[in-house]
């Protein structure tokens, strides 16, 4: 079978016909038995910002959208530490109750915290509605009494420079004013917006599709990838869902024979 790839072409409208659909586009109209909508999301604006126009026009429900896998804005923030990375355990607290911990590298940014483990925690923010904080344990391989012994010894030996050599020099200078290196709290004041996010939480409601991702209201229209209300952790899960959903839809359409 031949596949035509039409580039630089924006689909503008999908019109239901007696048999199949008419897709109006910037490069002409196409009669189709099946249509796959895979228009992505506005995250990072890599694939535009009108990703939901086609589904909105069809009257499909789109759930609330939040930037996900995104940097978190905090108070305090340490703009002077921008670009400094530190290995630690980062924990999300909702009204002081632990929601989830992630271990890895945290990256200080202009207005708060970034890095993979912070981005993972950002996925949970839309579900938490209390006073939100991030706690960093910068010495997670030591328990509290080990930390006290270690730091007391170093303080005697090195005075004000006792954290240098353990942490990045810029970070060590900030940390001398911090009481508990195993639980440094940062109040969450927001996230960066969708233009800085890797994915969007939310999208076409899963109530609109069946197990083959075919629209219940529009047989023959399928929805794949991030435009759906599906998002995953960092680690390739989002790309995987985009590929896997497209593959499954292609197999479903082929099995129908038209
Ligand atoms: C900076 C960044 C880093 C990321 N890193 C990772 C990662 O490491 N691992 C991971 O799993 N995921 C990652 N993601 C997320 C991943 O890229 C997306 O989840 C995935 O690309 C979604 O695939 P998709 O095909 O659904 O949508 P997209 O890849 O966004 O593709 C949608 C396409 O549809 C086109 N389009 C939109 N509207 C129309 C229209 N009306 N007509 C015609 N074409 C249209 C767009 O131009 C675009 O080409 C990252 C995302 C960003 C922004």
């Amino acid at each position: 079978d031949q596949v035509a790839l039409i580039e630089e072409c924006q689909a503008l409208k999908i019109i239901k016909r007696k048999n199949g659909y008419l897709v109006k586009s910037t490069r002409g109209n196409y009669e189709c038995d099946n249509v796959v909508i895979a228009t992505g999301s506005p995250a990072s604006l890599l694939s535009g910002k009108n990703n939901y126009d086609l589904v909105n026009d069809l009257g499909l429900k789109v759930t609330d959208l939040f930037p996900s896998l995104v940097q978190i804005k905090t108070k305090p923030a340490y703009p002077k530490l921008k670009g400094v990375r530190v290995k630690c355990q980062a924990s999300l607290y909702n009204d002081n109750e632990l929601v989830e911990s992630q271990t890895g590298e945290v990256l200080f940014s202009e207005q708060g915290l970034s890095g993979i483990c912070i981005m993972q925690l950002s996925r949970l923010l839309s579900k938490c509605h209390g006073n939100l904080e991030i706690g960093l344990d910068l010495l997670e391989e030591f328990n509290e009494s080990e930390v006290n012994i270690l730091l007391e010894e170093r303080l005697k030996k090195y005075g004000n420079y006792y954290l240098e050599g353990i942490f990045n020099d810029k970070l060590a200078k900030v940390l001398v004013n911090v009481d508990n290196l195993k639980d440094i709290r940062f109040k969450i004041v927001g996230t960066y917006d969708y233009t800085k996010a890797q994915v969007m939480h939310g999208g076409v409601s899963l109530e609109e599709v069946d197990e083959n991702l075919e629209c219940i209201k529009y047989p023959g229209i399928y929805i794949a990838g991030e435009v759906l209300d599906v998002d995953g952790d960092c680690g390739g899960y989002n790309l995987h869902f985009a590929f896997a959903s497209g593959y499954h839809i292609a197999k479903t359409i082929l099995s129908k024979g038209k």
Side-chain angles (χ1 to χ4, degrees), residues 9 26 93 101 168 178 189:
C9 171
T26 48
Y93 295 94
S101 292
N168 163 295
V178 166
V189 294

Side-chain angles (χ1 to χ4, degrees), residues 53-122:
D53 284 2
L54 292 175
V55 292
N56 282 333
D57 198 47
L58 290 168
L60 300 178
K61 181 178 162 194
V62 176
T63 61
D64 290 344
L65 295 156
F66 301 94
S68 192
L69 301 184
V70 66
Q71 299 181 33
I72 292 178
K73 293 183 183 176
T74 63
K75 253 188 188 157
Y78 295 102
K80 283 188 183 153
L81 293 182
K82 187 178 167 190
V84 171
R85 289 169 190 273
V86 61
K87 277 197 178 158
C88 63
Q89 185 179 65
S91 304
L92 173 65
Y93 295 94
N94 187 17
D95 285 336
N96 219 20
E97 268 189 32
L98 178 65
V99 180
E100 189 170 307
S101 292
Q102 292 277 338
T103 303
E105 261 186 358
V106 163
L107 173 68
F108 287 88
S109 67
E110 185 87 29
Q111 296 182 57
L113 299 170
S114 182
I116 288 180
C117 48
I118 295 294
M119 292 210 194
Q120 303 282 46
L121 295 177
S122 74

Side-chain angles (χ1 to χ4, degrees), residues 9-12 38-41 43-48 50-51 53-54 69 197-199 224-227 233-240 242-243:
C9 171
Q10 188 188 356
L12 300 171
T39 47
S41 84
S44 281
L45 293 176
L46 285 186
S47 55
N50 301 319
N51 313 68
D53 284 2
L54 292 175
L69 301 184
Q198 286 197 0
V199 292
E226 210 189 304
V227 70
D233 279 345
C234 291
Y237 299 99
N238 292 291
L239 282 170
H240 181 91
F243 295 139

